[in-house]
Amino acid sequence: MPTIKDVAKRAGVSVSVVSKSFNNYADVKEETRQRILAIAKELNYSPNINARNLSSKKNSTLGLISSGVLNDNEKDSNAFNIFKGVYQEVTNSRFELSIYLIDSHQQKQQSYVRYCRERNIGGAILQGIRTDDQYYMELIDSSLPCVVLDIMAETANGLIGSVSIDNAEASREIARHLLERNHRKIAVMSGTRETYVNSERMKGVAEALGEYGMELGGIDILEASFSEEMAYELAKAYLLEKQPTAFLCFSDLMAFGVMQAVKEAGLRIPEDISVTGFDDLLLSRYTQPPLTTIRQDFMEIGKLSARLLCDIIEGKLERQHIWVPHELTERESVKRLPSEPLAEKEMREII
């Protein structure tokens, strides 16, 4: 069984430097830390995380790193509800909470790892982080325990956990909801291409289309970056040229923009065009008509992420990923179209 002394000898450093590397001290250069971690992995050495954390006061603070709270759309309460869930769970634990609000689009100034180390943060929850964020991979490859939301981290790091709904299954359900109601001219209003949830939701749509003999390449896809304003502008321009029977939107915010564009085009929802969303924001039940969408329990996601992070830090980890249940909430924004006459369908198949 390899020891910390074996790692120190192979790395050519003192035992204290190895210990500091595993305990996230800020006075160890990142290059040195990564070299020590690589040697430890090579030797199959793993520190006693449970004992280390219980004996260290520096690990009594958890960090919530979030970009969603800075969203300038007052209709979007998702990030705030996650924050409430995290806060409620942390207040019932031995930990304290430190919050770091960022703009993920402009995050170029500070490493998340360095932020946590400088503030003696023992573990972090990442919310609203883009997978192309330059500091994201640094964090999940470090020795800092963390939980990521809505991302399935591709890493063998046992200190990384994740919490999300099954986005692929949820989008398959809502796409199937439209297809079962005979919608075939479907336009997808997708989010930010670089996000994990967007790719998963696209995967679910593709699977649902495949069940009906259709392909993703056979429908129109508009990319609105989860923005209400961008979805409105894209839908407005799109409706000048085409009229789908339904818009399938990857967020309620984008659905709000689409609904506005549809109405300004002189069309009715759902009589002329059906619209679906994703998230079930509070306002979704009050739109005209109320919006059919996928409901996520964001407070529960926050609670479970904090609970999972505590388990990782205290060495009680039983599973690295937690699936949170979702629900297809059917309201009045989707119309069932008449089924295609059998004779016409058979004639097309013959041709």
Side-chain angles (χ1 to χ4, degrees):
M1 179 72 69
T3 67
I4 191 171
K5 291 182 179 179
D6 296 325
V7 177
K9 183 177 180 180
R10 176 76 68 86
V13 298
S14 67
V15 170
S16 64
V17 171
V18 175
S19 178
K20 285 183 176 182
S21 296
F22 277 100
N23 283 282
N24 302 314
Y25 278 79
D27 59 349
V28 178
K29 291 182 179 180
E30 189 59 31
E31 180 182 351
T32 302
R33 188 190 322 277
Q34 292 301 327
R35 181 166 57 86
I36 290 172
L37 294 179
I39 291 171
K41 184 176 181 181
E42 181 183 336
L43 294 176
N44 199 27
Y45 167 77
S46 179
N48 188 328
I49 297 171
N50 186 43
R52 185 185 75 206
N53 287 337
L54 290 177
S55 64
S56 175
K57 293 182 178 180
K58 75 187 287 297
N59 286 300
S60 64
T61 301
L62 306 182
L64 172 61
I65 300 174
S66 173
S67 69
V69 177
L70 294 179
N71 190 316
D72 59 2
N73 194 312
E74 68 279 0
K75 301 172 187 174
D76 186 357
S77 58
N78 296 349
F80 183 65
N81 285 330
I82 288 173
F83 164 73
K84 287 195 293 185
V86 170
Y87 178 78
Q88 287 182 8
E89 187 66 24
V90 173
T91 55
N92 294 322
S93 72
R94 69 178 181 87
F95 296 95
E96 297 178 348
L97 183 63
S98 173
I99 300 171
Y100 181 27
L101 304 182
I102 63 171
D103 182 339
S104 194
H105 292 280
Q106 300 176 6
Q107 174 58 20
K108 299 177 181 178
Q109 298 179 351
Q110 185 170 28
S111 157
Y112 306 140
V113 175
R114 180 166 295 279
Y115 172 86
C116 291
R117 287 176 180 146
E118 288 176 349
R119 288 159 180 78
N120 291 333
I121 290 173
I125 298 169
L126 278 70
Q127 187 270 326
I129 306 299
R130 293 162 55 111
T131 54
D132 63 343
D133 187 315
Q134 62 178 326
Y135 297 123
Y136 164 70
M137 288 306 300
E138 177 199 9
L139 182 57
I140 67 169
D141 286 339
S142 75
S143 60
L144 182 77
C146 69
V147 171
V148 292
L149 304 187
D150 281 331
I151 300 176
M152 288 289 284
E154 297 181 1
T155 177
N157 189 341
L159 299 178
I160 307 301
S162 55
V163 178
S164 73
I165 68 166
D166 188 336
N167 280 280
E169 177 59 28
S171 64
R172 179 166 59 183
E173 288 178 18
I174 203 159
R176 190 185 293 138
H177 182 76
L178 291 174
L179 293 163
E180 287 173 348
R181 285 152 183 75
N182 303 311
H183 290 273
R184 299 297 182 268
K185 295 172 61 179
I186 299 172
V188 172
M189 189 66 71
S190 75
T192 306
R193 184 181 300 185
E194 295 82 7
T195 59
Y196 178 82
V197 294
N198 194 76
S199 61
E200 285 296 292
R201 292 173 192 177
M202 197 67 75
K203 183 191 302 181
V205 172
E207 290 173 355
L209 291 172
E211 295 172 7
Y212 284 79
M214 300 173 64
E215 296 181 354
L216 198 59
I219 64 174
D220 292 324
I221 299 173
L222 310 175
E223 297 183 349
S225 299
F226 296 112
S227 163
E228 178 181 1
E229 293 76 15
M230 190 177 297
Y232 164 73
E233 294 294 343
L234 287 173
K236 184 177 180 180
Y238 181 78
L239 290 170
L240 293 176
E241 301 179 0
K242 298 183 180 181
Q243 183 174 325
T245 64
F247 277 99
L248 191 161
C249 304
F250 283 2
S251 75
D252 284 2
L253 280 180
M254 293 191 296
F256 297 160
V258 167
M259 294 175 86
Q260 181 181 351
V262 169
K263 292 175 181 178
E264 289 183 5
L267 301 168
R268 300 166 299 166
I269 305 171
E271 291 84 357
D272 300 314
I273 297 180
S274 295
V275 180
T276 65
F278 205 110
D279 289 337
D280 195 23
L281 297 178
L282 178 62
L283 287 177
S284 298
R285 67 197 69 175
Y286 300 113
T287 56
Q288 294 298 323
L291 182 65
T292 293
T293 186
I294 293 290
R295 182 178 185 275
Q296 299 192 66
D297 189 338
F298 290 101
M299 282 191 63
E300 183 68 9
I301 289 173
K303 288 180 181 179
L304 291 176
S305 65
R307 194 174 306 164
L308 179 59
L309 182 58
C310 292
D311 287 345
I312 293 173
I313 292 174
E314 296 180 336
K316 301 176 182 178
L317 183 65
E318 296 181 356
R319 49 180 174 161
Q320 281 190 262
H321 182 77
I322 296 178
W323 294 111
V324 180
H326 63 270
E327 179 184 357
L328 173 58
T329 302
E330 184 177 354
R331 296 197 179 103
E332 301 166 26
S333 63
V334 175
K335 174 185 177 181
R336 178 180 292 275
L337 300 180
S339 58
E340 185 178 35
L342 184 60
E344 292 183 16
K345 181 179 179 181
E346 291 177 342
M347 182 63 70
R348 270 211 313 277
E349 289 178 349
I350 292 173
I351 295 174

